[in-house]
Amino acid sequence: METLNFLMQGFDVATRPTNLLVALFGTFVGTIVGLLPGLGPINGVALLLPLAFALGLPPETALILLAAVYLGCEYGGRISAILLNVPGDAAAVMTTLDGYPLARQGKAGIALSLSAVSSFVGSIIATCGVVLFAPLLAKWAVAFGPAEYFVLMIFAIACLGGMVGDKPVKTLMAALMGLALATVGVDSTTGVYRFTFGSVSLSDGIQFVIVVIGFFSVSEILLMLEKTHSGQKAVKASGRLLFNFKEFCLTFWTMVRSAVAGFVIGTLPGAGATIASAMTYMSEKRMAGDKGRFGDGDLRGLAAPEAANNASACGSLIPMLTLGVPGSGTTAVMIGALTLYNITPGPLLFEQQPDVVWGLIASLFIGNVILLIMNIPLVGLFSRMLSVPNWVLVPTITVISMVGVYSVHSTVFDLVLMVGLGVFGYLLRKLDFPLSALILGFVLGEMMEDNLRRALSISNGELGILYGSPITLALWGLTVAMLAMPGLRWYLKRRRGNAVEAQA
């Protein structure tokens, strides 16, 4: 009952005219930023943080603005993933696997509208979870130390082998390529230059924006040019722009399951929406079995990552508010916003700044309603992007990609690297390597290395810390099971084939 009273107090704050206007502005800007390939929520929040402080907004209003941008980016990232096969951020990588095939089948409107509802369901369920379970889940998240996180990353890589089609070897090879790219740059511990080949431009490593735009955007441009040269027709927009009741029923429980899983994963500091979307996609694919068409345009393969990444975004606010630990890169920027107002996030925040905390939580409900109302009518507008001829679309994507990459360091080297990675990505796609696994490997690489170093530092180099807790042992067991799964599936398939031949 006390929690409900606090929530009502939060709605009093969130429904003030200024805060409603700020939420509307933030969700719109966030959707646009999320739509642009490679930018993502971190850039969107970082973009508006100086503006919020310069305008002298009160802390609760500033936080509502940044949270609205965060939600909007998570919604917007699906648009370019579905229509152009270019994820707006890392969390939208899994959306491309079934979203883009649906668009190519003439179901762009269905995919866009269903993904918007999936995002809404995921966010609403996670926000309810924030209200009900924040203290409990925060205590559970603390149980994950560096060793547990490292083994969790190993488990995530092992899961990739069963996620993308029937190519476990190529999938794991692509993930290892991503891990290798993540090692480029100066070693944060020793200061040693690794794989920079004497180039100062590589000392900071390869930026995520360059990798995702190179491998997805540039390679997609090359494929578009190839299809144009071959005389193939451009993808046409669907006549039906909204999903029907049967399609909603097919995906509803997928949304619910993925939202719950995404929320729990989001409460783990640093785990983030990328892992949540990947693991829920893999889980739903295994549940569907042979009846699913995952990778070829299965609606459940679209709903699962969208519900999970939005739920994870809301869940990541729990460690930020209750522990002062960022649950994601975006919440790290939001913690910076709180410190600008001399507010220290942590357990005392609920007592000392209830308007800030509960105003933020209430604004999540309002922001999601605004985004759903905003996105559904725009489905037709977004779908028409597919009717744009390649001679317009290719230069447009090229310009957006080059501006996005150039804005990172403002160097020509980044543009050359983007093109080089794009050509490499084009060759990998022609050889049937899943680029989504490569991107996920790249994203997980830095987290894996950092947590391994912290764990070994705590244990003075003893490897026993990596299997010394019940959590790590359970994760190692799941990892072995995942690695054995492709071989087991092959064995069972071969055995069934032999049985059929024997009967014949």
Side-chain angles (χ1 to χ4, degrees), residues 75 78 82 95 110-120 302 306:
Y75 272 73
R78 77 190 203 287
I82 292 171
T95 305
I110 298 171
L112 287 168
S113 58
L114 186 64
S115 64
V117 172
S118 301
S119 299
F120 176 78
L302 173 68
E306 279 305 304

Side-chain angles (χ1 to χ4, degrees), residues 151-170:
V151 184
L152 179 64
M153 301 302 116
I154 295 290
F155 173 61
I157 294 294
C159 289
L160 292 175
M163 274 197 310
V164 188
D166 297 318
K167 307 179 289 292
V169 176
K170 287 187 175 182

Side-chain angles (χ1 to χ4, degrees), residues 161-461:
M163 274 197 310
V164 188
D166 297 318
K167 307 179 289 292
V169 176
K170 287 187 175 182
T171 301
L172 290 175
M173 287 178 63
L176 292 176
M177 292 179 196
L179 290 174
L181 289 175
T183 63
V184 176
V186 177
D187 188 314
S188 58
T189 303
T190 63
V192 174
Y193 285 78
R194 303 182 301 186
F195 309 112
T196 59
F197 304 102
S199 173
V200 178
S201 300
L202 287 175
S203 59
D204 288 337
I206 305 176
Q207 300 299 313
F208 172 76
V209 173
I210 300 174
V211 173
V212 74
I213 290 182
F215 278 111
F216 279 93
S217 184
V218 175
S219 66
E220 187 65 33
I221 288 171
L222 294 175
L223 288 174
M224 283 182 178
L225 292 175
E226 181 184 76
K227 292 171 184 176
T228 301
H229 179 72
S230 302
Q232 296 184 19
K233 294 182 179 180
V235 179
K236 297 297 182 182
S238 170
R240 183 157 63 95
L241 298 180
L242 295 176
F243 59 89
N244 56 34
F245 183 71
K246 180 181 179 181
E247 291 162 342
F248 176 76
C249 291
L250 173 68
T251 57
F252 176 73
W253 289 112
T254 294
M255 297 179 197
V256 174
R257 287 191 297 267
S258 300
V260 173
F263 169 63
V264 174
I265 294 171
T267 63
L268 301 173
T274 305
I275 297 176
S277 61
M279 294 184 72
T280 52
Y281 182 91
M282 175 271 299
S283 176
E284 290 299 322
K285 180 180 178 181
R286 293 198 184 283
M287 289 183 65
D290 296 334
K291 297 180 181 179
R293 297 180 60 250
F294 281 64
D296 295 319
D298 195 304
L299 292 175
R300 292 166 293 182
L302 173 68
E306 279 305 304
N309 65 38
N310 282 270
S312 177
C314 295
S316 66
L317 295 173
I318 287 182
M320 182 194 86
L321 294 174
T322 60
L323 302 174
V325 177
S328 64
T330 309
T331 52
V333 180
M334 295 174 71
I335 286 179
L338 287 172
T339 57
L340 288 176
Y341 289 94
N342 294 319
I343 297 175
T344 303
L348 296 179
L349 187 63
F350 282 79
E351 298 178 9
Q352 297 175 349
Q353 301 284 345
D355 282 356
V356 173
V357 175
W358 291 103
L360 169 64
I361 294 173
S363 74
L364 297 178
F365 288 103
I366 296 173
N368 277 292
V369 173
I370 292 174
L371 281 164
L372 184 65
I373 296 173
M374 182 188 300
N375 274 263
I376 294 298
L378 292 178
V379 165
L381 176 62
F382 293 142
S383 296
R384 292 191 190 98
M385 292 174 60
L386 291 173
S387 299
V388 177
N390 278 0
W391 62 268
V392 174
L393 196 58
V394 169
T396 302
I397 298 175
T398 303
V399 170
I400 293 174
S401 300
M402 295 181 72
V403 170
V405 167
Y406 191 76
S407 64
V408 177
H409 287 143
S410 301
T411 63
V412 176
F413 177 85
D414 288 348
L415 297 176
V416 175
L417 182 60
M418 174 194 74
V419 174
L421 292 176
V423 173
F424 181 50
Y426 169 76
L427 295 176
L428 289 177
R429 291 175 74 166
K430 298 295 286 185
L431 294 172
D432 210 21
F433 280 83
L435 294 187
S436 56
L438 189 149
I439 298 296
L440 288 169
F442 179 79
V443 172
L444 297 177
E446 185 177 356
M447 289 193 291
M448 282 183 65
E449 183 178 7
D450 289 345
N451 283 291
L452 177 61
R453 286 178 180 270
R454 291 194 191 105
L456 294 179
S457 176
I458 292 171
S459 66
N460 293 321

Side-chain angles (χ1 to χ4, degrees), residues 20-31:
L20 285 175
L21 186 62
V22 161
L24 178 62
F25 174 73
T27 51
F28 177 76
V29 171
T31 302

